[in-house]
Amino acid sequence: MTATRPQGGSVFLVEDEVMIRMMVADMLEELGFSIAAEAGEINEAMKLAESTEFDVAILDVNVNGKVISPVAELIRARNRPFIFATGYGSSGLPEEYRDRPALQKPFQLETLARMLDNALRPAA
């Protein structure tokens, strides 16, 4: 096991590419996380962001051509941590979220583990 953090935690995963979503879900499970919910489109993601209990979210920035900002806003309002996943680097993030952590696609298991650890670390 390559996980360096304690086992557990639930993740809300938003990714429109089914194969990528499955791969990330497998990586999360390997790291000891459970999948609280998955979404492949914005409207579904917005409903789940409001109703699902989760510890952290991973949000694809561009979901079927739509920017993830409305979902990120709901998650921020619930005071839950989230990480963006993007193939465009931090410049691809919505402007109001450029200070948020972003996973550069494609990413490795170790990078995902480090980002989750940072996102879930209590503020000092």
Side-chain angles (χ1 to χ4, degrees), residues 86-103:
T86 179
Y88 305 104
S90 60
S91 65
L93 296 181
E95 196 166 323
E96 66 271 26
Y97 294 109
R98 295 229 168 118
D99 62 332
R100 293 285 181 152
L103 280 163

Side-chain angles (χ1 to χ4, degrees), residues 75-124:
I75 294 169
R76 182 166 65 180
R78 290 185 64 189
N79 203 28
R80 297 280 200 292
F82 58 92
I83 299 165
F84 289 110
T86 179
Y88 305 104
S90 60
S91 65
L93 296 181
E95 196 166 323
E96 66 271 26
Y97 294 109
R98 295 229 168 118
D99 62 332
R100 293 285 181 152
L103 280 163
Q104 176 68 43
K105 293 180 187 178
F107 49 85
Q108 301 295 317
L109 185 68
E110 294 77 18
T111 306
L112 178 60
R114 187 171 52 253
M115 292 288 271
L116 287 166
D117 186 50
N118 289 340
L120 292 167
R121 184 175 297 137

Side-chain angles (χ1 to χ4, degrees), residues 7-118:
Q7 294 291 311
S10 59
V11 178
F12 172 39
L13 178 60
V14 180
E15 169 61 58
D16 60 343
E17 296 288 336
V18 175
M19 295 303 290
I20 294 173
R21 192 166 67 233
M22 290 171 56
M23 180 192 70
V24 174
D26 287 346
M27 293 169 82
L28 290 165
E29 288 172 1
E30 185 173 337
L31 291 169
F33 288 88
S34 62
I35 306 302
E38 297 180 31
E41 62 93 22
I42 294 286
N43 290 334
E44 178 187 15
M46 289 178 66
K47 289 176 191 165
L48 291 169
E50 291 179 313
S51 63
T52 304
E53 288 302 316
F54 57 89
D55 297 310
V56 63
I58 299 175
L59 308 175
D60 183 11
V61 171
N62 184 328
V63 180
N64 293 317
K66 296 179 182 170
V67 179
I68 196 73
S69 296
V71 179
E73 197 59 43
L74 289 170
I75 294 169
R76 182 166 65 180
R78 290 185 64 189
N79 203 28
R80 297 280 200 292
F82 58 92
I83 299 165
F84 289 110
T86 179
Y88 305 104
S90 60
S91 65
L93 296 181
E95 196 166 323
E96 66 271 26
Y97 294 109
R98 295 229 168 118
D99 62 332
R100 293 285 181 152
L103 280 163
Q104 176 68 43
K105 293 180 187 178
F107 49 85
Q108 301 295 317
L109 185 68
E110 294 77 18
T111 306
L112 178 60
R114 187 171 52 253
M115 292 288 271
L116 287 166
D117 186 50
N118 289 340

